[in-house]
Amino acid sequence: MKISEFTIKITNLTIGYKQTKDRLHSVLKNINLEGKQGEIIALVGANGRGKSTLLKTFSRLLEPLSGKIMFHGKLLQNIQNKELAMKVSFTKAVGGELANMSVFELVAMGRIPYTNWIGRLTEKDKLIILTALCDVGLEGFDQRRMIELSDGEKQKVLIARSLVQDTELILLDEPTAFLDLSNKYEIVFLLKKIAKEKNKCIIFSTHDLHIATKNADKMWLIYQKTILQAAPEDLILDGHFEKIFTNTSLKFDYKTGEFIPFFVQKRKIKLIGEGRALLWTQRALERAGFELNELDKNVLHVKKINNYFVWELNYYSKMYEFHSIYELLRILS
């Protein structure tokens, strides 16, 4: 699919709050960003740095302090409310006040911009709602109550609501928060599929850097009171991931794409082996504070014998044999 024109274009934007009539508090400044149809964009930054503020500004829940936000060449402030509701959907985590609603009722809220003056759903609206539930993997869930659903299923319902709203831009504030690992990946895979197949521009805020770097077409990284934009790999190669954690106890691992605790590695060891056992043994040794060194006299050899892994260790001239990484680390710790 060929990527089309800009869905959203931000120029010299400053966002924040009006503390008083004459006093403004800026959160982020000099923001210049672009989002296209068919893209999934991850908005990344520490808590309190402006992720939610930016998404609320895009959806006009907050007014920009200065700068321009354009949707297909049209200024945000010049778009009428009903038209905006057909261009932008904004989703936060479902609250307890919606617990007793049915799935159908909640998803149907996305059709409000399209219904008649009394809000009556047509047969076409009902079909759109049921189709959206199928699209997110919730076929047959329409009469279930929200209180009966898992957190992952609730998030899918909210995505379905955005789908029936049929907007070009979909904004989601922390859609993977509070989900287990499998559900986090499932939700992001679903968003990526929707962006590509339905030609939407999807922007989601997240703390899950590993998932974002693996799946986002573009990343918006909050850095020093502004936002950098690029493919995740470009931001990594330019060293920006390291910079945002300069004064913390974390460091960025270029091999895994993850942030890991930083500590001074004092002990060295030579590691021999192959395959997945070698890889996970290396990670365990690094976690325990070891640095791999081909010239070191202490040698750990990972072998596979009769379909079982065995770790043979020559450590300060003493020989050991282990049958699990856990046993190995108990000696080395």
Side-chain angles (χ1 to χ4, degrees), residues 3 6-7 28 35 48 75 114 182-183 203 206 208 254 307 319:
I3 299 297
F6 296 123
T7 296
L28 295 169
L75 275 171
Y114 303 93
S182 62
N183 273 305
I203 303 169
T206 183
D208 298 307
Y254 284 95
N307 293 321
M319 297 298 299

Side-chain angles (χ1 to χ4, degrees), residues 75-254:
L75 275 171
L76 174 63
Q77 58 263 39
N78 293 339
I79 301 175
Q80 297 297 314
N81 289 338
K82 184 173 182 178
E83 182 186 356
L84 185 65
M86 296 178 180
K87 289 183 176 293
V88 182
S89 63
F90 176 54
T91 297
K92 294 187 67 175
V94 63
E97 70 277 4
L98 302 177
N100 289 319
M101 294 185 70
S102 72
V103 168
F104 185 91
E105 289 169 337
L106 183 53
V107 176
M109 293 172 65
R111 294 302 297 167
I112 290 175
Y114 303 93
T115 55
N116 54 39
W117 64 276
I118 59 174
R120 181 176 297 165
L121 295 172
T122 65
E123 291 304 313
K124 178 183 176 181
D125 292 320
K126 294 175 184 178
L127 179 59
I128 290 172
I129 292 166
L130 295 176
T131 300
L133 287 173
C134 291
D135 288 341
V136 300
L138 294 180
E139 184 177 3
F141 276 63
D142 50 301
Q143 295 308 312
R144 296 271 294 273
R145 295 284 165 183
M146 292 296 294
I147 198 172
E148 301 170 355
L149 305 186
S150 69
D151 288 340
E153 290 167 342
K154 289 176 183 176
Q155 190 59 58
K156 289 180 180 179
V157 172
L158 296 179
I159 294 171
R161 185 178 66 181
S162 291
L163 283 180
V164 304
Q165 197 171 333
D166 195 24
T167 59
E168 299 164 353
L169 179 64
I170 298 176
L171 309 173
L172 302 106
D173 197 1
E174 297 284 357
T176 60
F178 313 116
L179 300 183
D180 60 32
L181 187 61
S182 62
N183 273 305
K184 287 177 188 289
Y185 275 99
E186 186 176 0
I187 291 300
V188 176
F189 291 159
L190 175 60
L191 294 176
K192 190 172 183 178
K193 182 174 182 284
I194 290 169
K196 304 305 179 188
E197 293 183 358
K198 298 187 180 296
N199 207 26
K200 308 289 186 182
C201 178
I202 297 180
I203 303 169
F204 72 103
S205 61
T206 183
H207 289 101
D208 298 307
L209 286 169
H210 189 255
I211 291 177
T213 55
K214 290 285 187 181
N215 294 283
D217 297 305
K218 186 186 292 181
M219 187 175 287
W220 290 353
L221 180 65
I222 297 177
Y223 176 67
Q224 292 185 348
K225 299 287 285 186
T226 190
I227 301 180
L228 306 173
Q229 76 166 353
E233 296 80 6
D234 289 324
L235 292 170
I236 291 170
L237 290 174
D238 289 342
H240 289 302
F241 275 37
E242 289 180 325
K243 292 175 184 176
I244 63 175
F245 284 91
T246 300
N247 298 318
T248 73
S249 59
L250 297 176
K251 67 175 182 178
F252 185 74
D253 187 333
Y254 284 95

Side-chain angles (χ1 to χ4, degrees), residues 269-285 292 299-305 308-314 320-325 328:
I269 196 168
K270 180 179 180 179
L271 179 61
I272 302 172
E274 59 184 22
R276 59 190 177 96
L278 177 68
L279 171 65
W280 288 102
T281 301
Q282 177 181 336
R283 291 188 63 166
L285 290 171
L292 301 188
V299 180
L300 176 63
H301 195 165
V302 186
K303 299 180 178 180
K304 192 172 185 179
I305 302 175
Y308 292 96
F309 293 114
V310 175
W311 288 262
E312 294 180 352
L313 174 64
N314 183 343
Y320 303 88
E321 182 177 294
F322 305 98
H323 298 275
S324 72
I325 291 176
L328 168 68

